[in-house]
Amino acid sequence: YQIAKVSLSLGKYKKAYELLTQVLEERTKDVAANFEWLSDAQQELYWGNTKFFYENVYNLANKLSVHVPEASMLSYNAALIAKGKLLESKISKESYFNEIDDLRSQIYTKRNRRNKIESESSGKLAEFKKLNSQIDSLDKLTTLAWPAYAEQKRNLSITWTDVHINLNKDEAAIEFIRFYEPIDSAYYYQAVLIRGDANAPIIVTLCNENSIEKIRPQDGYESFYTVLWSPLEAYLEGISTIYYSPTHLLNNIPFHALYKPASDAPITIHYSRNKDKNVTTKNSTARERVYLMDKYSLHQLTSTRYLAMDLKKKENEEFDKSIELFGGINYHYISDNQQIPAYSSMVKKNRFFKNRSINSSNNLEYLQGTLKEIKSINELALNQGWQVGYLEWDDAKEEKMINLQGREAKGILHFATHGYSFPKLDKLDSSIKTNSLQYSYRYSKNPMVRSGLILTGGYWAWNGSDTLAKLGAQQNGLLTALEVSGLNLRRTKLVVLSACGTGLGQIGDNEGTFGLKRGFKLAGVDQIIVSFWDVPDDETQELMVLFYKDLIQTSNSITSFRNAQKKMRLKYPLDPDKWAGFILVR
């Protein structure tokens, strides 16, 4: 690599390209020969060192492509190898666990116990270390007899040409990449784009990371467009479908809701009508917006290499017409024989809240929209002969979720509830009581503990009480992403997380986001609908009902979700906060 870098500085561009090609091939062979044989912990360490090599390839290939256009192929090929490698390896390994029941049972039991200890920060350090050691040994035993090893090696051989042959002429695939530039000590973002009708990838320079970080979320839709999408437009003429894989900060950006600033766009006048007085009043005047979802069919992927792994075929595969619904949850549940009068009174007085965020008082307010949501979905599904499980109020317990795995798994899991995702430790934050389990969740070193869903009775653990445990409950009502990752949900086609911030978590370079999205991926789920921010309660249930009305007819979650979001976009054209917060990820 260093010789290639020197060759570039000396103007020996062809030589630099040949050397970079050689070093990328050698590193790929090294990964194929060694990576899959390592334990989970060893893989993380290995990849922690290896990821910088791929960043360097992006940087050098970018500079070389000005003089040697073929260098763009190296950027795309490197991205295909680097994106989600740890995630994919773990998912493949989990699939093999089904074939070795004895080891599977041992690892499953020990890992869930370890995850529970870590999630609750119970101080059982000796047991935690012992479990880690046992899991590591069992992990190596399964790896040594792993038939999926050959498949993983084949996946490493996927190149941009394999992706290209799976694109139609009006389709494009985009790998977003991020690399460090030592010259100005800054990170930069680029897009490497393949058109179905082109002969080679195209490298498009976007912006430095600071340009993204300084954009305020409330001003982000058109601002993000300017720095992230505008440079791509010239290369997307005639394209109608785009498969894209984000990286780093781009994982938390709703690309479908970006729109071009257009000062010369036609003016739209919005009116409101007072039915009682039969008067029509001018409400607002605004420029028309054309969102990216109006121009393209957008598909977010963990990696575009999935296009070379039967992605399109899987989209149309039949799924089990069974669904389990969680919603209208009693977060203050104590036991089947006890209620909290004040809380029940609050619910009966209809003191409901406008979004599904967790407020500063930590009360975990009841969400009326979630009950309407699951009732409507329940009726729709039953009318079409689906098998429906319906869990509301006291019944939406974590224990029941844990049981919906393996042979008991449903085709779809739907959660309408509060979700949470905490950033890294901020030592200046003193807003949480030190005795609270929420304190351990918020400040856990493991980002998979800092994200989760709140189910029946979750209020108590959320506020530091062991009330449920004292009454004999097996779970505390707080389902962390770490606990989810240990479940067997390979029979579940789709998980819908109809809650706030379920797509957020700690950004993990080429590995995406460490949170609920990753947890359900590791559990074996193919498609996940997640949210980027605090979603409104009423409009969220409206979106979800539209989605299921369509899904029951099409049996295609990708098409149905896009159709539902388009209907919401037409109803709320100037308020994307009401519909753009959700995205379907594969």
Side-chain angles (χ1 to χ4, degrees):
Y1 174 82
Q2 292 300 329
I3 299 174
K5 190 175 179 181
V6 171
S7 298
L8 173 62
S9 66
L10 295 175
K12 299 179 179 180
Y13 306 122
K14 201 68 176 178
K15 180 66 173 177
Y17 170 69
E18 291 171 355
L19 288 169
L20 189 59
T21 301
Q22 180 182 341
V23 73
L24 181 59
E25 288 177 354
E26 290 176 353
R27 181 58 64 94
T28 301
K29 289 178 182 178
D30 181 66
V31 172
N34 299 309
F35 186 75
E36 307 304 343
W37 300 106
L38 302 175
S39 69
D40 285 352
Q42 289 169 333
Q43 283 183 346
E44 290 181 15
L45 181 62
Y46 178 96
W47 207 252
N49 295 324
T50 302
K51 64 183 181 181
F52 299 109
F53 166 78
Y54 291 100
E55 285 188 7
N56 290 334
V57 170
Y58 300 149
N59 193 355
L60 195 55
N62 171 52
K63 294 172 181 177
L64 266 174
S65 64
V66 177
H67 310 282
V68 184
E70 301 96 304
S72 62
M73 303 177 189
L74 301 182
S75 276
Y76 207 102
N77 290 344
L80 292 178
I81 296 168
K83 287 282 189 74
K85 181 57 186 168
L86 284 173
L87 174 64
E88 188 173 301
S89 178
K90 289 182 180 181
I91 292 172
S92 179
K93 193 179 296 185
E94 286 291 330
S95 296
Y96 178 54
F97 282 161
N98 282 335
E99 301 172 19
I100 44 175
D101 292 339
D102 183 45
L103 288 175
R104 163 68 182 169
S105 177
Q106 292 182 59
I107 292 178
Y108 171 75
T109 302
K110 294 179 186 298
R111 187 174 52 192
N112 280 356
R113 174 59 182 164
R114 179 200 63 186
N115 291 351
K116 196 68 182 174
I117 291 173
E118 186 172 359
S119 291
E120 296 181 354
S121 294
S122 60
K124 299 177 181 179
L125 184 60
E127 183 182 0
F128 180 81
K129 288 182 176 179
K130 182 179 179 180
L131 287 167
N132 260 342
S133 177
Q134 292 172 338
I135 292 167
D136 190 61
S137 297
L138 290 168
D139 182 70
K140 286 181 178 178
L141 285 175
T142 60
T143 300
L144 290 173
W146 188 17
Y149 169 68
E151 181 183 350
Q152 287 289 297
K153 287 185 69 174
R154 284 194 297 272
N155 291 347
L156 283 169
S157 68
I158 292 173
T159 67
W160 78 271
T161 56
D162 300 305
V163 174
H164 181 249
I165 62 176
N166 284 280
L167 294 173
N168 297 326
K169 289 184 177 180
D170 63 343
E171 295 180 334
I174 301 174
E175 283 287 349
F176 289 98
I177 60 177
R178 171 183 181 262
F179 63 85
Y180 183 74
E181 177 51 74
I183 294 175
D184 55 3
S185 301
Y187 279 97
Y188 283 84
Y189 287 82
Q190 288 184 332
V192 193
L193 182 150
I194 304 174
R195 290 178 59 104
D197 58 0
N199 297 320
I202 304 164
I203 294 179
V204 183
T205 300
L206 301 176
C207 61
N208 64 26
E209 195 159 76
N210 183 57
S211 300
I212 301 172
E213 291 176 329
K214 69 182 182 183
I215 295 174
R216 298 185 307 164
Q218 58 268 39
D219 301 327
Y221 303 111
E222 58 181 343
S223 300
F224 282 130
Y225 177 94
T226 301
V227 297
L228 295 177
W229 201 265
S230 182
L232 289 167
E233 287 285 14
Y235 305 97
L236 294 172
E237 187 70 32
I239 296 297
S240 60
T241 300
I242 298 173
Y243 299 90
Y244 70 98
S245 171
T247 189
H248 211 72
L249 295 181
L250 308 193
N251 282 289
N252 293 340
I253 293 175
F255 279 87
H256 58 291
L258 305 191
Y259 61 90
K260 181 179 181 180
S263 58
D264 58 345
I267 292 178
T268 301
I269 299 175
H270 297 268
Y271 295 94
S272 60
R273 186 175 181 83
N274 187 314
K275 295 181 179 179
D276 296 331
K277 297 181 179 181
N278 197 30
V279 175
T280 300
T281 308
K282 181 179 177 180
N283 189 34
S284 64
T285 301
R287 302 282 180 184
E288 287 186 4
R289 295 176 181 176
V290 178
Y291 296 98
L292 290 189
M293 66 179 292
D294 299 327
K295 297 180 64 177
Y296 311 105
S297 172
L298 295 166
H299 302 258
Q300 181 174 318
L301 309 178
T302 304
S303 168
T304 60
R305 71 170 168 269
Y306 294 161
L307 285 162
M309 298 163 64
D310 296 326
L311 177 87
K312 292 182 179 181
K313 181 181 178 181
K314 290 178 181 178
E315 180 176 328
N316 297 309
E317 285 180 351
E318 282 291 316
F319 62 91
D320 183 14
K321 301 295 194 306
S322 62
I323 184 171
E324 196 78 19
L325 300 164
F326 291 77
I329 294 172
N330 178 9
Y331 305 109
H332 291 60
Y333 166 88
I334 294 180
S335 75
D336 293 337
N337 300 317
Q338 292 180 282
Q339 292 288 339
I340 303 299
Y343 181 68
S344 299
S345 175
M346 179 193 76
V347 172
K348 290 176 182 178
K349 288 181 180 179
N350 294 326
R351 287 179 55 199
F352 304 123
F353 294 81
K354 294 183 179 180
N355 65 47
R356 299 182 182 183
S357 64
I358 298 171
N359 73 359
S360 58
S361 68
N362 298 321
N363 281 334
L364 299 181
E365 289 86 358
Y366 180 76
L367 299 170
Q368 183 187 37
T370 66
L371 181 61
K372 290 181 180 178
E373 184 173 310
I374 65 167
K375 278 187 174 180
S376 297
I377 297 169
N378 178 59
E379 183 177 350
L380 287 168
L382 286 175
N383 287 341
Q384 293 299 316
W386 284 31
Q387 178 189 343
V388 182
Y390 183 83
L391 299 172
E392 66 157 309
W393 196 239
D394 291 350
D395 291 327
K397 296 175 183 176
E398 185 181 356
E399 290 90 336
K400 293 189 176 182
M401 166 58 220
I402 300 298
N403 290 333
L404 294 172
Q405 59 174 318
R407 295 185 179 277
E408 301 302 318
K410 304 295 184 180
I412 300 175
L413 287 175
H414 184 100
F415 298 90
T417 184
H418 285 297
Y420 65 89
S421 179
F422 293 124
K424 272 186 170 182
L425 168 65
D426 179 358
K427 294 182 179 179
L428 299 178
D429 186 348
S430 59
S431 64
I432 302 300
K433 297 179 296 183
T434 56
N435 69 315
S436 174
L437 266 181
Q438 184 188 355
Y439 181 90
S440 70
Y441 291 161
R442 172 172 286 189
Y443 295 145
S444 172
K445 293 181 179 179
N446 190 334
M448 299 290 282
V449 173
R450 300 198 302 265
S451 296
L453 297 169
I454 303 181
L455 300 176
T456 294
Y459 167 84
W460 304 104
W462 189 251
N463 285 279
S465 170
D466 59 354
T467 299
L468 292 186
K470 287 180 178 178
L471 291 171
Q474 296 176 348
Q475 306 293 337
N476 61 13
L478 302 182
L479 181 66
T480 69
L482 182 63
E483 291 172 301
V484 168
S485 71
L487 302 178
N488 175 6
L489 299 176
R490 276 168 287 282
R491 292 175 181 263
T492 299
K493 173 85 171 181
L494 170 70
V495 167
V496 181
L497 302 180
S498 185
C500 289
T502 51
L504 302 179
Q506 182 172 310
I507 305 288
D509 296 314
N510 289 315
E511 286 296 311
T513 303
F514 285 77
L516 282 166
K517 183 166 59 176
R518 188 179 185 84
F520 280 104
K521 277 285 185 184
L522 287 171
V525 179
D526 181 46
Q527 301 171 8
I528 310 165
I529 293 177
V530 295
S531 64
F532 288 124
W533 54 67
D534 291 349
V535 294
D537 195 30
D538 289 339
E539 287 79 12
T540 294
Q541 68 92 14
E542 188 177 357
L543 169 67
M544 293 301 169
V545 172
L546 286 172
F547 166 60
Y548 282 101
K549 279 183 179 178
D550 202 276
L551 178 63
I552 285 170
Q553 301 301 320
T554 67
S555 295
N556 186 313
S557 52
I558 293 95
T559 300
S560 294
F561 185 69
R562 184 166 61 247
N563 291 343
Q565 215 160 33
K566 282 186 174 181
K567 289 180 181 178
M568 292 292 287
R569 176 257 183 273
L570 291 173
K571 185 174 181 179
Y572 306 102
L574 301 179
D575 200 351
D577 284 346
K578 292 182 177 179
W579 50 265
F582 287 95
I583 191 167
L584 190 151
V585 182
R586 290 184 279 169

